Amino acid sequence: MGEISELEKTYQQLHSQLLSGELSEEEFKTQVERLRFEDDQGRQWKIGWYTGKWYRYEQGQWVQGTPDERRAAGQPPPEEDRREAGGRSLTRWLAPALIALLVLAGIVLIIGWNADWWGSRPEASPTVAALVASPSPMPPTNTPAPTATPSPTVTSKPSPQATPTRKPQPTATRPAPTATATGAAAPTATPPPSPGPQVTPASPTQPAPSPTPSLTGQIYFPVYDPKRKTVDLYRFQLASGQRERVVQQASQPAISPDGKRLAYRSWDRAQRGILVRELADGHTWVWINFSEAARPSWSPDSQNIVFPSQQEPDRQWRVYRTLGVEFDRIRRHGGDILGRVPIWLADGRIVYWECPLNKCGLYVMHSDGTGPIQLTTDEHDTAPAASPDGSQIAFLSDRDGNWEIYVTGTRAAGQEPQRLTKNNARDGLIAWSPDGRWLAFASDRSGQWAIWLMRPDGSDQKKLFDLGGEPAGPIAYVMPHEEHDWTLETIAWGP
C-alpha cells in the first residue's frame, strides 16, 4: 500500500508541475510512464497520463482497474474487477462440486452393486457404467484430447469458460512463425499484422497486393532541424517526386478542402500562432495570434478552422473555432470543453479528445458543442484524421504499449476499432488521400523516419520517401507548456 501511495503522490506532483509550466507535456508523459509496479500475481500496473487512474496490462492492452492493496484499504472494486472476482469464485466452488458429484455416483454404484449381489445380479446398467468411465463427453476430433497434467495457463489464471462475461482480447505480440509450412492459417478476429519495411511476396493463401496507381497531389510534412532547434515545413510532389521547403519555422500543416489554402502553426518568434498561406500567390496572414494555438483543421466550406489551445492561465487544453475573423471557445451547458486534437468532418461535426468524468477517448459533437458521442474508450487514443467523406477516422494510440494506427466509424458509439499497423516501431501522423483510397503516415520502422503508404484496411503498406529527420524536437525560445512530442504533429495530403 505504501508503494502505491508514493506513486500516486509523485503523479500529483508531476501533474502540478505540468499545469504550472515547470514540465513540458513530453517530459510529463515520460516521467508518468515510469510510475509502475508489479503486484503479487505478476501483473504490471501504471498510472494514466491524464486521468491519474490505475491501469493493469491484461490480454494485450491496458485496462482500468484497482490494485488489490487499494481495494483492501476500503475502495470498492470497479465492475470489471467484480466480474473477474466472480469468475475466480466460480472456479473455486466448481471443483469441489464435481468431486462431490463423483463421490455420490460412487455411493450409488456401490449400493446398486450390493443389491445386485444378493439378488439375481444382472449386468451393470450401461448408463451408470458410462457415467463412471466417462464423466464428460469426448472432445471433437479436431480438438486435442486433454492430458492428465494441467497446462500452465489453467493454473496461472481462470480459464475463459469460468468468466463468460469477459470479451477475449487480441494478444500484444505477433505469433512466432511455425517451422514448416502446413497450409493456410485459421482466420482470426483481429486485423492481420502489417508487413515490415520491405514489400514481401504474397503467400499462396493470401491475394497479391494490388498495383499502386499513379499517385497525385502533394504531401506536406514537418522536419526538425537540431542545429537551429526549430522545425520546417516541406512539400513532396507525388507525381514528380520533387521535394522542397515551403515554410521555415512552421509545422502542423492543414490543407483546406478546396485545396487553395495552407494553415499551419508558426514557430517564428516574430509571428507566433496559426498562419494561413494562399497557395496561388503565396500571400500569408496571421489568423490566430496566440502562440499556444495548435493543430488547425478546416471546416468543410474552407472558411473556418477549429483548433486546441492552452492560452488560458490554467494551461488546460480547450477547443476553439473561428467565426470569420473572430474566434471563441466551444462550450457545452455554459462550460468550456476541455479537449484537444479537434478535427472537422465533412458533415460539419467535430471529432476531438475529451475525458469527462474519467470517460476518456475520442468523441464527436456538433460544431456548437452539442450532441457528444464517445467513439473510442482508451485514454491514449489521439491524433484523429478524417476520411474525405467523414464516415471514418484513423487515429493514433498506444493502447497496447506501442504507438500504432487504428480506424473506426464516426456514426455511432461502441464500434470496435480496427488495428491497421503492428510492429515495434512508431507509426502515426496520418493523412487521407483526397480520393479516400490511401492513407499516408509517418513511421520509423525502417530505422529512420519516412512517409509510408497503405490502404484504409491496412493492406499494401510500402514506403514512399524518407522524411530527412525527426518530425519534432525541442524548439528554441518557447515556453515549457508549449513543448510537445511528435504525436501532436500532423501531415497533410492536398490536391
Side-chain angles (χ1 to χ4, degrees), residues 282-318:
H283 175 65
T284 303
W285 45 282
V286 179
W287 201 344
I288 309 298
N289 58 3
F290 280 89
S291 62
E292 296 88 353
R295 294 185 101 255
S297 174
W298 288 93
S299 62
D301 61 3
S302 301
Q303 298 301 310
N304 290 287
I305 59 171
V306 64
F307 63 94
S309 181
Q310 294 175 289
Q311 62 200 50
E312 300 300 324
D314 61 4
R315 302 307 180 191
Q316 295 257 36
W317 285 104
R318 289 173 169 83

Side-chain angles (χ1 to χ4, degrees), residues 260-387:
K260 296 180 179 180
R261 294 173 177 170
L262 169 68
Y264 57 89
R265 184 177 188 177
S266 173
W267 299 102
D268 188 342
R269 296 179 66 185
Q271 287 186 316
R272 293 297 308 278
I274 295 178
L275 277 63
V276 176
R277 170 172 292 193
E278 303 288 346
L279 295 177
D281 57 13
H283 175 65
T284 303
W285 45 282
V286 179
W287 201 344
I288 309 298
N289 58 3
F290 280 89
S291 62
E292 296 88 353
R295 294 185 101 255
S297 174
W298 288 93
S299 62
D301 61 3
S302 301
Q303 298 301 310
N304 290 287
I305 59 171
V306 64
F307 63 94
S309 181
Q310 294 175 289
Q311 62 200 50
E312 300 300 324
D314 61 4
R315 302 307 180 191
Q316 295 257 36
W317 285 104
R318 289 173 169 83
V319 179
Y320 296 76
R321 61 157 297 178
T322 61
L323 299 167
V325 295
E326 304 294 331
F327 71 92
D328 198 3
R329 290 167 285 184
I330 300 179
R331 301 191 176 196
R332 184 184 305 129
H333 305 308
D336 296 343
I337 295 177
L338 302 179
R340 62 186 73 193
V341 296
I343 60 169
W344 233 310
L345 298 179
D347 60 6
R349 295 178 300 156
I350 294 172
V351 173
Y352 65 105
W353 181 95
E354 190 181 11
C355 197
L357 302 176
N358 291 326
K359 295 180 180 179
C360 303
L362 294 174
Y363 286 73
V364 63
M365 64 179 175
H366 298 298
S367 59
D368 60 359
T370 61
I373 298 175
Q374 187 173 10
L375 299 178
T376 71
T377 57
D378 195 278
E379 178 189 6
H380 298 167
D381 296 344
T382 186
S387 62

Side-chain angles (χ1 to χ4, degrees), residues 188-199:
T188 62
T190 56
S194 64
Q198 301 297 326
V199 179

Side-chain angles (χ1 to χ4, degrees), residues 66 125 406 437 460 475:
T66 304
S125 167
Y406 297 77
R437 299 174 61 190
D460 292 0
I475 308 293

Side-chain angles (χ1 to χ4, degrees), residues 100-166:
L101 181 61
L102 291 175
V103 171
L104 179 60
I107 294 174
V108 171
L109 180 62
I110 293 173
I111 294 174
W113 177 272
N114 291 334
D116 294 340
W117 180 266
W118 296 107
S120 58
R121 197 170 180 266
E123 293 187 6
S125 167
T127 304
V128 176
L131 176 64
V132 176
S134 179
S136 62
M138 291 297 291
T141 56
N142 60 348
T143 303
T147 60
T149 303
S151 66
T153 302
V154 175
T155 58
S156 62
K157 62 179 180 180
S159 66
Q161 289 80 2
T163 56
T165 58
R166 182 181 297 276

